[in-house]
Amino acid sequence: MKTSPSKSKLDQHGHFPLLVMSAACLMAFSSFAAAQSTTVVASADNQVSKDAKKIEGVDNSVSTVEISSQSTRSSVSLRAKELQSQLPGTNPLKGIETLPGVSFSTADPWGNNEQNLTLFVHGFSGQQLGYTMDGVPLGDQQYGNYNGLSPQRAVISENVRNVVLSSGAGDLATPSTSNLGGTIEVFSSDPLATRTTSVQQTVGSYSTSRTFVRFDTGNFGDGNSAYISGLHHEARAWDFDGRQGGNQFNGKFVHNSETGKLTVFANYSDKIEPNEDATVHVAGETSAPYTRAFLYPDFATALTYLSPKGATPAADGANYHNYYSDAQRTDFLTYAKYDWNLNQTTTWTNQVYFHHDDGVGVVAGPIGAAGLPALFGVYFPNQNLKQIFGNSGYATRATEYVINRPGIISNVRMDLGDHQLEFGGWWEHNNSSTYRRWFALDVNNPSTPYQRPSNPLITQYGSNITNDVVQLHVQDEWRVKPNIALQAGFKSSLQFAEGLFPVQPLPGAIAGGSTALPVGKIDTKKWFLPELGVLWDINQRDQFFANIQKNMRQFVTYGAGGASPWSLASQSAFDLFKNTAQPETSVTYEMGIRGKRDVQLGALDKIDGQVNVYHVDFSNRILQISPTAVITAIVGGNPVLANVGSVTTDGIDIAGTLHFGKNFSFYNALSYNRSVYQDNYTNGNAVVQTSGKQVPGAPQWMNKFVATATFGDIETQLTGDYVGRRYATYTNDLYVGGYFMMNLGVTTKLPSLSTGFMKNAKLRLNVTNLNQRTGATAVVVGAASGTYNTYPIAPRQFFVTFGAEF
């Protein structure tokens, strides 16, 4: 891992990226509109958003990814088949890493570990995007959940129908308070029309076992159908003895009639996954470890690792070893939705939902590290801390989360001839709490990552935040001519939040000299967030689109953590923020061409895709100014949270698919993004020179390809992902090199087994990180200069999946 500006061989020469980039440009411009693959699965049930409708006259069966022909913005979809082809059980967010403009990384091959997940779309981080599942808001995906849950916890991956990425700010009706840079919509599959039992079993590297079973009732009664499904997943971490696992259940009921469609969905998820400790890098270092493995379950080694007073070896510095860490999450999510056909031209859709989360993040670490002696000394002054915490030299920290959030979504769509009118609203009441507690780790009875700690010695703080969100929107799509449509509308975003601390920390127990965490209300209202777009059907195959849209990100309502006003270290700092700070806003300008061409160039018979360019003015950037240069400080506290200026982004996505008959296709997506800070900021002591610097963590250049070949009953898919250099600090004094990684998938049908009671038997082999690439998969940015953290790329792994229907 480089910490000084010296390029990797891939960055120096760039042979592979240049070749693929050239191929992308050729396929893009050899037709009038070349880019991403072609069609989105159409649905008459309105489950798929307006950005995910079907392009007429295009064969759905041959496209790797799909684009919308009814959107004035770039809107790209990935179908279930392509998602599961990457690796059965893949997180939908990881699945879209093949789409243009998307940078996704995590330390496990499924993308399930949320603690080390990093996502960027057009320079915006994952917490600046909007997420839904069947229209239900999933929050902003912060690891410390406070307003939602991850897509893979909301629906079993094998039950996903498709995933839609809309760049810009997404559809006006999207229920989200964070979609500055776009929206990611996940849609679950509907029940099958015939009675079917589906079974799928995956085994593979590091003791992986993933079992999925689904039973579809088929049609029964008068327009009824349903399914119930279950999942058990477990796998060992590749670099330490930690077990990722859990159980999940989905059920869905659909009733269709002439008057409308009723859908009822329920999801239960209970999972535990080990967390990966990030490696800390500082300028000039040469000995930072590639991984920071936990010591669990070798308790004897853990005891000898520490000094008699619980101190870590000086040689390890900030990269000391914890005993264990994990995330425990239990979620229940349900919704009922009714699409009511009021008449032939009007549909009124109402959806009610409820989400309950009970989670805890646990770290068992040395009592002599990360500022803990000072913290524990506040609660146990002049006492033997090692003895108090169980004589092991370790203490266990737990951050406990509870979420209860009901909500209602109501939308009306009216077909008025040349005008398609849509209006509606979203309301959600969220009651979330966060408690930080510390526990002893008994030398005679050590705890494990797979149990929830009990009997705390310290409750450092406890927060309770209530938040009501109201979002309204209205939009008109006017068909000016048969081939030209204008789209205009606006939305209003209102948030009413109040935070309380039933348990306040003792003075000195929070970094920054806090005597009490702040309480109070913050109401934010933006009544007019407009959108204007145009869609021009140049001919039957080609389209031009353009869109201008303004959006905002409401303040984070997390208690005592993250970039939240309620994490500030004093009441006066909270009051100052409340009276002076502004929510982050963005104005996105986007235009492009998309289409499809039939050609006759030897074996090449079709080219389809999209080219889009964009510019974003991002204002009122909020920065959490850390009280310490060490990003991984464990004590907590946030003395400074402020608007620090704006960011300007320019970029282009070129993506498309070459079709060589029905048996071979090559998809490629080339993306360039340049996001630059426009202002310096002060950290309280000095001016930090960030003006003109690039946003760290987000690569400028990316290139992805998917090559698919079918030979009889065998389908082979090779994917490649090039991620360019990423800056690792706000001042760009440090960076990590780029990498190129490939994955392989081979599926074979088993006709000899598909007889009698067994149908559609298949066997699939997946190899992740085929070329055994090493490096930084994720970069954690939290300092102006001099230091950053990384998570490692997982090694090559092998998985075999058998599936069949009965």
Side-chain angles (χ1 to χ4, degrees):
M1 183 63 58
K2 300 289 185 182
T3 58
S4 59
S6 59
K7 296 184 178 181
S8 68
K9 292 182 180 179
L10 188 60
D11 287 328
Q12 288 174 340
H13 306 295
H15 292 161
F16 182 85
L18 287 177
L19 287 173
V20 180
M21 290 171 189
S22 299
C25 293
L26 175 64
M27 71 180 71
F29 295 109
S30 60
S31 115
F32 180 70
Q36 205 155 7
S37 23
T38 48
T39 44
V40 168
V41 177
S43 171
D45 59 9
N46 289 324
Q47 284 248 36
V48 179
S49 72
K50 183 179 292 185
D51 291 342
K53 300 286 181 145
K54 181 178 179 180
I55 293 180
E56 294 298 330
V58 180
D59 181 4
N60 285 8
S61 64
V62 295
S63 296
T64 301
V65 296
E66 306 160 330
I67 63 173
S68 166
S69 68
Q70 297 189 6
S71 175
T72 62
R73 62 179 63 80
S74 172
S75 184
V76 191
S77 175
L78 186 76
R79 294 180 298 176
K81 179 180 180 295
E82 298 302 327
L83 176 66
Q84 298 306 316
S85 291
Q86 295 181 25
L87 178 62
T90 295
N91 176 1
L93 297 185
K94 179 175 175 58
I96 65 170
E97 68 182 352
T98 58
L99 303 184
V102 178
S103 171
F104 179 95
S105 58
T106 190
D108 75 295
W110 297 273
N112 284 337
N113 194 296
E114 301 169 37
Q115 176 241 15
N116 54 58
L117 185 155
T118 300
L119 174 65
F120 283 91
V121 175
H122 289 178
F124 285 98
S125 70
Q127 286 73 47
Q128 295 169 324
L129 306 173
Y131 307 84
T132 65
M133 195 287 294
D134 287 353
V136 175
L138 300 181
D140 69 0
Q141 301 299 296
Q142 297 218 25
Y143 169 67
N145 293 149
Y146 70 97
N147 71 342
L149 72 167
S150 59
Q152 72 268 26
R153 284 194 273 134
V155 59
I156 297 174
S157 175
E158 287 84 348
N159 287 332
V160 171
R161 182 175 66 195
N162 67 317
V163 188
V164 179
L165 168 68
S166 299
S167 57
D171 189 80
L172 288 178
T174 302
S176 171
T177 60
S178 57
N179 58 324
L180 281 177
T183 59
I184 299 172
E185 302 170 277
V186 179
F187 297 95
S188 67
S189 60
D190 275 355
L192 299 176
T194 57
R195 179 177 295 183
T196 306
T197 299
S198 304
V199 177
Q200 185 168 282
Q201 175 67 49
T202 300
V203 295
S205 298
Y206 301 100
S207 304
T208 291
S209 176
R210 183 179 178 91
T211 306
F212 171 74
V213 179
R214 168 167 157 169
F215 172 70
D216 285 78
T217 64
N219 293 329
F220 67 94
D222 186 10
N224 300 316
S225 59
Y227 68 73
I228 185 170
S229 61
L231 168 72
H232 177 74
H233 176 99
E234 58 182 62
R236 184 170 67 84
W238 58 270
D239 59 340
F240 59 93
D241 195 359
R243 188 178 73 249
Q244 179 189 70
N247 299 297
Q248 192 170 4
F249 301 93
N250 288 170
K252 192 171 187 179
F253 169 81
V254 172
H255 172 75
N256 278 300
S257 67
E258 292 184 359
T259 58
K261 176 181 178 180
L262 172 67
T263 306
V264 180
F265 176 87
N267 167 78
Y268 174 79
S269 171
D270 184 23
K271 65 182 294 188
I272 296 176
E273 56 189 24
N275 286 332
E276 182 90 14
D277 261 348
T279 298
V280 182
H281 301 266
V282 295
E285 57 85 6
T286 58
S287 59
Y290 187 59
T291 65
R292 284 179 64 191
F294 294 116
L295 301 175
Y296 177 87
D298 191 348
F299 193 56
T301 297
L303 293 177
T304 60
Y305 177 71
L306 303 179
S307 73
K309 292 187 178 181
T312 58
D316 286 355
N319 288 307
Y320 62 87
H321 294 285
N322 285 310
Y323 184 48
Y324 64 76
S325 176
D326 69 273
Q328 304 174 27
R329 300 286 190 269
T330 302
D331 292 275
F332 174 71
L333 175 70
T334 186
Y335 73 79
K337 179 179 181 181
Y338 188 64
D339 301 307
W340 185 12
N341 302 322
L342 296 177
N343 51 49
Q344 292 184 342
T345 61
T346 304
T347 301
W348 184 14
T349 299
N350 289 283
Q351 186 173 23
V352 295
Y353 64 89
F354 176 75
H355 170 222
H356 169 76
D357 171 79
D358 182 13
V360 58
V362 183
V363 181
I367 64 172
L372 295 185
L375 169 64
F376 295 155
V378 171
Y379 291 89
F380 304 103
N382 303 316
Q383 297 186 50
N384 187 324
L385 297 179
K386 184 175 181 180
Q387 184 177 23
I388 289 172
F389 282 90
N391 273 320
S392 65
Y394 294 88
T396 300
R397 187 200 76 178
T399 308
E400 301 173 352
Y401 313 97
V402 174
I403 302 172
N404 288 292
R405 56 184 189 105
I408 300 173
I409 303 168
S410 184
N411 293 309
V412 175
R413 297 179 181 87
M414 304 177 68
D415 184 349
L416 304 177
D418 291 335
H419 292 268
Q420 306 291 320
L421 183 64
E422 178 182 331
F423 58 90
W426 164 50
W427 166 83
E428 178 179 280
H429 175 77
N430 181 16
N431 190 328
S432 64
S433 65
T434 305
Y435 279 72
R436 171 69 57 80
R437 307 186 196 274
W438 295 87
F439 305 80
L441 203 158
D442 191 347
V443 68
N444 296 314
N445 186 26
S447 57
T448 81
Y450 312 112
Q451 63 188 96
R452 187 158 180 167
S454 58
N455 302 317
L457 295 176
I458 298 170
T459 298
Q460 189 178 354
Y461 58 78
S463 70
N464 192 337
I465 297 181
T466 58
N467 182 23
D468 285 281
V469 173
V470 176
Q471 182 175 293
L472 308 171
H473 78 280
V474 61
Q475 179 176 276
D476 179 33
E477 184 175 306
W478 175 27
R479 182 62 60 176
V480 181
K481 292 184 176 181
N483 65 332
I484 297 178
L486 294 178
Q487 189 179 79
F490 72 94
K491 76 174 182 180
S492 303
S493 181
L494 318 174
Q495 179 172 281
F496 309 91
E498 180 178 13
L500 302 173
F501 281 86
V503 179
Q504 284 281 6
L506 295 182
I510 293 290
S514 172
T515 57
L517 292 170
V519 300
K521 298 180 180 180
I522 297 183
D523 297 341
T524 49
K525 306 172 187 176
K526 288 288 184 180
W527 289 99
F528 188 66
L529 297 166
E531 178 222 13
L532 179 64
V534 61
L535 190 63
W536 174 26
D537 294 325
I538 302 170
N539 51 49
Q540 289 184 338
R541 293 297 186 182
D542 302 318
Q543 278 187 338
F544 169 82
F545 63 92
N547 186 270
I548 304 173
Q549 189 165 345
K550 183 176 182 180
N551 209 350
M552 70 172 289
R553 181 192 184 202
Q554 292 281 6
F555 294 134
V556 172
T557 59
Y558 182 77
S564 165
W566 287 273
S567 69
L568 290 164
S570 69
Q571 189 66 42
S572 59
F574 175 87
D575 293 337
L576 177 64
F577 181 92
K578 175 180 178 179
N579 294 328
T580 60
Q582 295 294 321
E584 295 176 334
T585 58
S586 66
V587 180
T588 300
Y589 306 83
E590 184 178 25
M591 67 178 180
I593 52 177
R594 55 194 172 213
K596 175 178 179 177
R597 279 288 186 274
D598 293 328
V599 297
Q600 294 183 357
L601 298 174
L604 178 64
D605 59 6
K606 292 179 183 178
I607 302 177
D608 58 71
Q610 176 177 291
V611 179
N612 67 292
V613 295
Y614 57 90
H615 171 83
V616 183
D617 292 319
F618 173 29
S619 304
N620 300 316
R621 180 171 73 97
I622 291 179
L623 179 64
Q624 178 184 352
I625 302 175
S626 175
T628 173
V630 180
I631 302 170
T632 55
I634 200 170
V635 175
N638 186 32
V640 180
L641 186 69
N643 294 121
V644 293
S646 59
V647 180
T648 298
T649 294
D650 295 286
I652 182 171
D653 294 328
I654 306 173
T657 304
L658 303 175
H659 301 273
F660 300 87
K662 295 184 178 180
N663 295 326
F664 182 75
S665 66
F666 184 83
Y667 158 79
N668 198 91
L670 170 66
S671 301
Y672 172 78
N673 174 276
R674 179 175 170 82
S675 298
V676 178
Y677 295 130
Q678 300 300 299
D679 306 274
N680 297 323
Y681 72 90
T682 178
N683 62 8
N685 298 316
V687 174
V688 180
Q689 301 293 328
T690 54
S691 179
K693 306 298 183 181
Q694 295 185 45
V695 172
Q700 270 196 329
W701 288 100
M702 291 187 292
N703 194 83
K704 301 103 182 288
F705 74 81
V706 181
T708 304
T710 302
F711 308 96
D713 290 331
I714 300 176
E715 180 184 88
T716 301
Q717 189 174 80
L718 180 68
T719 65
D721 188 8
Y722 169 72
V723 176
R725 184 176 69 174
R726 293 155 291 168
Y727 286 106
T729 64
Y730 299 128
T731 59
N732 293 175
D733 65 321
L734 301 174
Y735 69 81
V736 297
Y739 65 85
F740 170 69
M741 188 160 53
M742 293 192 296
N743 300 311
L744 175 67
V746 180
T747 300
T748 178
K749 298 178 183 178
L750 303 173
S752 61
L753 297 179
S754 300
T755 58
F757 71 99
M758 184 183 294
K759 298 177 296 182
N760 297 325
K762 295 180 181 180
L763 190 67
R764 181 168 183 82
L765 168 68
N766 286 91
V767 185
T768 61
N769 195 2
L770 178 68
N771 53 331
Q772 193 71 302
R773 187 67 166 93
T774 59
T777 181
V779 182
V780 181
V781 181
S785 61
T787 183
Y788 64 96
N789 290 6
T790 61
Y791 291 101
I793 296 175
R796 182 189 301 127
Q797 297 183 47
F798 297 84
F799 304 94
V800 176
T801 303
F802 174 78
E805 297 175 355
F806 301 91

